[in-house]
Amino acid sequence: MNGQGLGLSDRVAGMASNQIADIANLGRDDPAVIKLWIGEGDLAAPDFIREAAEQALRDGHTRYTYSHGLPALRRALADYHARHWRDATGAPLSLSPDRFSVTAGGVQAMMQAFQSILEPGDEVIAPVPTWPNLAEIIRITGGRFVPVPFRVSAAGRFSLSLDDIVAAITPRTRAIAINSPSNPTGWLMPRAQMAALVDIARARGLWIMSDEVYGHFTDPDPETGLPRPAPSFLEVTTPTDRLLVTNTFSKNWCMTGWRAGWIIFPDGMGQVFENLSQYNTTGVATFIQHAAIAALNQGDDGIRALVRRTMVSRDVLLAALQAVPGLRIVRPQGGFYLFFGVHGMNDSFATAVRILREAGVGLAPGSAFGPGGGNFLRLCFAIDPALATEAARRLTAFFQAPAQT
């Protein structure tokens, strides 16, 4: 029931069901199912993070604190960005802690981002297929989602044409939303293309909303073998550019259930996000913020180990599924998803239900990700390589059976 007849606002009554959650709810409690539907790894948060939360509880950090977030956490966020990203001169990225606000996860960071800039009817352009929450958050905050399809090569690789973005701009356009590395496609926006998009936005007075939650999930530098995060819009902008960057503790530190994230905003918007935090949630639980400080200050080695483990599982699944006739598998440039096409599939949701019931593997239907996703399924490979091997075995058997779609 969607609440029709109850006097709800149109934008709330019209919210679409999240098909990923619909699939997950069919098998969430079944221990025999290999759960690859949601963007979540199979590891608990590291011991040192949990111990920091426990210590904070013992120390009585259970009261209200700054709506923006603890000053020590905002300082740790600034230091974290300086360690991992570089500005246009090659120097460590220098961001003031005053440009950060702590949120109840990346979803809430995005909600606040659009609350801060959208008027009713404002348009937000975004490449599709994309994370389904994006379109619904834009709707809830009064905006209109404008999809621009990725271009897809004959080999199945996704790319974004900035000409297509420009063609979609109208007098009502307010923002361009980018998620790189992309959920679900694995597309990664090159730094030069980011800079070009910034120029487009500056010339038209538009905002860029950048969701950078998968920034560490990339291959190492081929020359040095060292970790190489994905490019960030923060590297090609100034503190006064119309840029909002959202992120989360969920992916890098296995903290999905903790609900902690952050938003980075331009100089001069601190009070705006202070107010938004106050009136949305009053702030993130204080003891969780202490755990987040530990994650940032002690977790870099853990991120590197997690990314290596994840990419081993990616390669296990790639090797197996690329050998299956009828599947179109493209190596993702970043993130931790395989978004693969299935020849002859006419209902990705129904196919995902069949795979769940017959193969015991939970996948997300491509139709959940909007225009262009219907012929795809999404698989999260942020799992143990042994589990990836078993998932590959089950999926191979399913897709090699007759009438699999």
Side-chain angles (χ1 to χ4, degrees), residues 391-403:
R393 184 193 68 78
R394 295 186 190 186
L395 291 171
T396 297
F398 176 86
F399 284 113
Q400 289 181 335

PDB file of all heavy atoms in Angstrom, residues 391-403:
ATOM      1  N   ALA A 391      29.675 -18.878  -5.288  1.00  0.00           N
ATOM      2  CA  ALA A 391      28.670 -18.118  -6.023  1.00  0.00           C
ATOM      3  C   ALA A 391      28.852 -18.301  -7.528  1.00  0.00           C
ATOM      4  O   ALA A 391      27.872 -18.466  -8.273  1.00  0.00           O
ATOM      5  CB  ALA A 391      28.758 -16.640  -5.657  1.00  0.00           C
ATOM      6  N   ALA A 392      30.099 -18.274  -7.986  1.00  0.00           N
ATOM      7  CA  ALA A 392      30.371 -18.473  -9.406  1.00  0.00           C
ATOM      8  C   ALA A 392      29.901 -19.853  -9.860  1.00  0.00           C
ATOM      9  O   ALA A 392      29.332 -20.004 -10.946  1.00  0.00           O
ATOM     10  CB  ALA A 392      31.861 -18.301  -9.676  1.00  0.00           C
ATOM     11  N   ARG A 393      30.126 -20.875  -9.029  1.00  0.00           N
ATOM     12  CA  ARG A 393      29.690 -22.237  -9.374  1.00  0.00           C
ATOM     13  C   ARG A 393      28.168 -22.292  -9.513  1.00  0.00           C
ATOM     14  O   ARG A 393      27.635 -22.841 -10.489  1.00  0.00           O
ATOM     15  CB  ARG A 393      30.147 -23.224  -8.310  1.00  0.00           C
ATOM     16  CG  ARG A 393      29.829 -24.691  -8.635  1.00  0.00           C
ATOM     17  CD  ARG A 393      30.007 -25.601  -7.445  1.00  0.00           C
ATOM     18  NE  ARG A 393      29.012 -25.341  -6.401  1.00  0.00           N
ATOM     19  CZ  ARG A 393      27.754 -25.768  -6.464  1.00  0.00           C
ATOM     20  NH1 ARG A 393      27.315 -26.449  -7.528  1.00  0.00           N
ATOM     21  NH2 ARG A 393      26.918 -25.507  -5.483  1.00  0.00           N
ATOM     22  N   ARG A 394      27.461 -21.704  -8.565  1.00  0.00           N
ATOM     23  CA  ARG A 394      26.000 -21.744  -8.603  1.00  0.00           C
ATOM     24  C   ARG A 394      25.448 -20.967  -9.791  1.00  0.00           C
ATOM     25  O   ARG A 394      24.508 -21.417 -10.466  1.00  0.00           O
ATOM     26  CB  ARG A 394      25.424 -21.174  -7.303  1.00  0.00           C
ATOM     27  CG  ARG A 394      25.740 -21.974  -6.050  1.00  0.00           C
ATOM     28  CD  ARG A 394      24.996 -21.379  -4.847  1.00  0.00           C
ATOM     29  NE  ARG A 394      25.439 -21.956  -3.587  1.00  0.00           N
ATOM     30  CZ  ARG A 394      24.871 -21.685  -2.413  1.00  0.00           C
ATOM     31  NH1 ARG A 394      23.842 -20.837  -2.364  1.00  0.00           N
ATOM     32  NH2 ARG A 394      25.319 -22.247  -1.300  1.00  0.00           N
ATOM     33  N   LEU A 395      26.007 -19.782 -10.043  1.00  0.00           N
ATOM     34  CA  LEU A 395      25.510 -18.968 -11.147  1.00  0.00           C
ATOM     35  C   LEU A 395      25.819 -19.599 -12.498  1.00  0.00           C
ATOM     36  O   LEU A 395      24.984 -19.568 -13.415  1.00  0.00           O
ATOM     37  CB  LEU A 395      26.111 -17.562 -11.066  1.00  0.00           C
ATOM     38  CG  LEU A 395      25.616 -16.704  -9.902  1.00  0.00           C
ATOM     39  CD1 LEU A 395      26.441 -15.432  -9.788  1.00  0.00           C
ATOM     40  CD2 LEU A 395      24.132 -16.348 -10.076  1.00  0.00           C
ATOM     41  N   THR A 396      26.995 -20.175 -12.616  1.00  0.00           N
ATOM     42  CA  THR A 396      27.340 -20.856 -13.868  1.00  0.00           C
ATOM     43  C   THR A 396      26.359 -21.982 -14.141  1.00  0.00           C
ATOM     44  O   THR A 396      25.866 -22.145 -15.276  1.00  0.00           O
ATOM     45  CB  THR A 396      28.776 -21.393 -13.792  1.00  0.00           C
ATOM     46  OG1 THR A 396      29.682 -20.296 -13.649  1.00  0.00           O
ATOM     47  CG2 THR A 396      29.132 -22.174 -15.051  1.00  0.00           C
ATOM     48  N   ALA A 397      26.041 -22.769 -13.132  1.00  0.00           N
ATOM     49  CA  ALA A 397      25.094 -23.873 -13.305  1.00  0.00           C
ATOM     50  C   ALA A 397      23.717 -23.338 -13.701  1.00  0.00           C
ATOM     51  O   ALA A 397      23.047 -23.905 -14.569  1.00  0.00           O
ATOM     52  CB  ALA A 397      25.007 -24.680 -12.014  1.00  0.00           C
ATOM     53  N   PHE A 398      23.289 -22.246 -13.080  1.00  0.00           N
ATOM     54  CA  PHE A 398      21.978 -21.688 -13.404  1.00  0.00           C
ATOM     55  C   PHE A 398      21.919 -21.214 -14.854  1.00  0.00           C
ATOM     56  O   PHE A 398      20.988 -21.532 -15.591  1.00  0.00           O
ATOM     57  CB  PHE A 398      21.641 -20.536 -12.464  1.00  0.00           C
ATOM     58  CG  PHE A 398      20.340 -19.849 -12.790  1.00  0.00           C
ATOM     59  CD1 PHE A 398      19.158 -20.348 -12.292  1.00  0.00           C
ATOM     60  CD2 PHE A 398      20.315 -18.729 -13.623  1.00  0.00           C
ATOM     61  CE1 PHE A 398      17.935 -19.713 -12.610  1.00  0.00           C
ATOM     62  CE2 PHE A 398      19.113 -18.112 -13.940  1.00  0.00           C
ATOM     63  CZ  PHE A 398      17.922 -18.609 -13.425  1.00  0.00           C
ATOM     64  N   PHE A 399      22.917 -20.433 -15.269  1.00  0.00           N
ATOM     65  CA  PHE A 399      22.841 -19.839 -16.607  1.00  0.00           C
ATOM     66  C   PHE A 399      23.145 -20.836 -17.712  1.00  0.00           C
ATOM     67  O   PHE A 399      22.815 -20.583 -18.870  1.00  0.00           O
ATOM     68  CB  PHE A 399      23.795 -18.642 -16.685  1.00  0.00           C
ATOM     69  CG  PHE A 399      23.276 -17.430 -15.991  1.00  0.00           C
ATOM     70  CD1 PHE A 399      23.878 -16.933 -14.850  1.00  0.00           C
ATOM     71  CD2 PHE A 399      22.151 -16.771 -16.470  1.00  0.00           C
ATOM     72  CE1 PHE A 399      23.410 -15.798 -14.210  1.00  0.00           C
ATOM     73  CE2 PHE A 399      21.647 -15.636 -15.844  1.00  0.00           C
ATOM     74  CZ  PHE A 399      22.275 -15.158 -14.690  1.00  0.00           C
ATOM     75  N   GLN A 400      23.746 -21.952 -17.379  1.00  0.00           N
ATOM     76  CA  GLN A 400      23.970 -22.977 -18.387  1.00  0.00           C
ATOM     77  C   GLN A 400      22.802 -23.941 -18.505  1.00  0.00           C
ATOM     78  O   GLN A 400      22.749 -24.754 -19.422  1.00  0.00           O
ATOM     79  CB  GLN A 400      25.264 -23.735 -18.082  1.00  0.00           C
ATOM     80  CG  GLN A 400      26.512 -22.889 -18.336  1.00  0.00           C
ATOM     81  CD  GLN A 400      27.801 -23.636 -18.060  1.00  0.00           C
ATOM     82  OE1 GLN A 400      27.830 -24.577 -17.269  1.00  0.00           O
ATOM     83  NE2 GLN A 400      28.883 -23.199 -18.692  1.00  0.00           N
ATOM     84  N   ALA A 401      21.841 -23.841 -17.577  1.00  0.00           N
ATOM     85  CA  ALA A 401      20.646 -24.680 -17.649  1.00  0.00           C
ATOM     86  C   ALA A 401      19.689 -24.115 -18.706  1.00  0.00           C
ATOM     87  O   ALA A 401      19.742 -22.936 -19.029  1.00  0.00           O
ATOM     88  CB  ALA A 401      19.958 -24.732 -16.298  1.00  0.00           C
ATOM     89  N   PRO A 402      18.809 -24.943 -19.251  1.00  0.00           N
ATOM     90  CA  PRO A 402      17.860 -24.462 -20.269  1.00  0.00           C
ATOM     91  C   PRO A 402      16.884 -23.428 -19.679  1.00  0.00           C
ATOM     92  O   PRO A 402      16.563 -23.464 -18.475  1.00  0.00           O
ATOM     93  CB  PRO A 402      17.094 -25.721 -20.685  1.00  0.00           C
ATOM     94  CG  PRO A 402      17.939 -26.864 -20.209  1.00  0.00           C
ATOM     95  CD  PRO A 402      18.682 -26.385 -19.017  1.00  0.00           C
ATOM     96  N   ALA A 403      16.414 -22.514 -20.508  1.00  0.00           N
ATOM     97  CA  ALA A 403      15.378 -21.542 -20.158  1.00  0.00           C
ATOM     98  C   ALA A 403      15.705 -20.781 -18.891  1.00  0.00           C
ATOM     99  O   ALA A 403      14.880 -20.596 -18.005  1.00  0.00           O
ATOM    100  CB  ALA A 403      14.026 -22.250 -20.007  1.00  0.00           C
TER     101      ALA A 403
END
